[in-house]
Amino acid sequence: MTGAAGGLGQAMRTRLQANCDILRLSDLNPLDPAQAVEEVVQADLSDMAAVQHMVAGCQAIVHFGGISVEQPWAPIVQANIIGVYNLYEAARVHGVKRVVFASSNHVMGFYRQNEVVDAKSPPRPDGLYGLSKAFGEDISRLYFDRYGIETACVRIGSSYPEPRDRRMLATWLSFDDLHRLITACLTTPVLGHSIIYGTSDNSVSWYDNHLAKHIGFRPQDSSDVFREAVYARTDEPDLTDPAVQFQGGGFVKIGPL
Ligand code: NAI
Ligand code: 15L
């Protein structure tokens, strides 16, 4: 698992131990020492030699590492463009068969909040970060078509302990559902190259996963239990605000573009 020092990496660290004999954890930043059944390999994704060392001997990769929000182009290129290329090259060289790629809802951020998208909807990234995730999805497609490396591109919504605002009532993914989703991606007999939206079973949703039924993901949590509290602590939305009109929320209007 790359990105092991990050928010989702920390949330999945103990959960993913149940999925493997040895869980190798990696990040640019230092990690807590390896526990039983763990290995720790510090690596910068933009360093090919370090990534080759990190990947050697792995059966599967859960790729959380990289820039996770809108930022200037230079760091995005290093981590999310060069980094994901290095990862797939290392996967090819070392015979890794399956990757779970943490893509993002921001690949589709310029769809409106009254539209429903599925795996065949054309990407409409909402910034450089979303664009870099679209590149990650495309390179994973290339490495499947050429080399047969299976990838689940998981367009994660908003994965936090609780939804933080009204938008996240549609995009929220609980940590337990994220673990269920990763498990489904790692264990389904035939994954191929697949795109799946990563959200819990929220009543309001902009995502249709009917093209990902072969993965067998059944979310068991829902943002609905937080709805009343979120409405009570947040203001009425300004319907003229692009952050309220588009699925990407505030991401559609931040950054250097
Ligand atoms: P995070 O920012 O907390 O963690 C990302 C980790 O990647 C950090 O620990 C960071 O040190 C590491 N990293 C950054 N650049 C690196 C490099 N060059 N080499 C090696 N490691 C590097 O992000 P979070 O929230 O844990 O998200 C994990 C993944 O899931 C990210 O790829 C993010 O884009 C994606 N995602 C997360 C969502 C969420 O709601 N948390 C929503 C959609 C996508
Ligand atoms: C993401 O892709 C980000 O990594 C995360 O920090 C959240 O902002 C999330 O999307 C979201 O859209 O809420």
Side-chain angles (χ1 to χ4, degrees), residues 44-76:
D44 183 340
L45 288 163
S46 66
D47 177 345
M48 176 65 100
V51 174
Q52 293 281 353
H53 173 67
M54 171 187 86
V55 165
C58 290
Q59 254 187 311
I61 298 170
V62 177
H63 184 46
F64 282 137
I67 300 297
S68 63
V69 290
E70 193 63 23
Q71 279 201 17
W73 184 231
I76 287 180

Side-chain angles (χ1 to χ4, degrees), residues 105-106 109-111 113 126 165 167 171 206 241-254:
N105 71 87
H106 295 287
F110 263 124
Y111 283 89
Q113 293 194 8
D126 57 28
D165 54 30
R167 171 180 167 273
T171 58
W206 310 318
D241 182 353
V244 174
Q245 295 173 335
F246 294 102
Q247 295 183 4
F251 277 59
V252 303
K253 55 182 192 181
I254 54 170

Side-chain angles (χ1 to χ4, degrees), residues 92-122:
R92 179 185 69 76
V93 167
H94 294 287
V96 176
K97 298 280 183 252
R98 200 170 274 202
V99 179
V100 180
F101 170 54
S103 185
S104 171
N105 71 87
H106 295 287
V107 169
M108 310 299 280
F110 263 124
Y111 283 89
R112 290 183 177 268
Q113 293 194 8
N114 58 357
E115 293 178 286
V116 174
V117 291
D118 66 19
K120 289 196 170 158
S121 305

Side-chain angles (χ1 to χ4, degrees), residues 94-172:
H94 294 287
V96 176
K97 298 280 183 252
R98 200 170 274 202
V99 179
V100 180
F101 170 54
S103 185
S104 171
N105 71 87
H106 295 287
V107 169
M108 310 299 280
F110 263 124
Y111 283 89
R112 290 183 177 268
Q113 293 194 8
N114 58 357
E115 293 178 286
V116 174
V117 291
D118 66 19
K120 289 196 170 158
S121 305
R124 293 179 70 176
D126 57 28
L128 300 177
Y129 164 66
L131 187 65
S132 73
K133 291 294 185 179
F135 174 82
E137 293 189 359
D138 277 356
I139 199 170
S140 69
R141 174 92 236 177
L142 173 64
Y143 275 73
F144 175 65
D145 289 341
R146 277 215 180 192
Y147 308 115
I149 299 172
E150 295 186 297
T151 291
C153 298
V154 181
R155 290 180 179 163
I156 301 171
S158 309
S159 196
Y160 297 101
E162 294 185 7
R164 295 176 169 176
D165 54 30
R166 295 189 189 197
R167 171 180 167 273
M168 286 193 190
L169 292 169
T171 58
W172 187 64

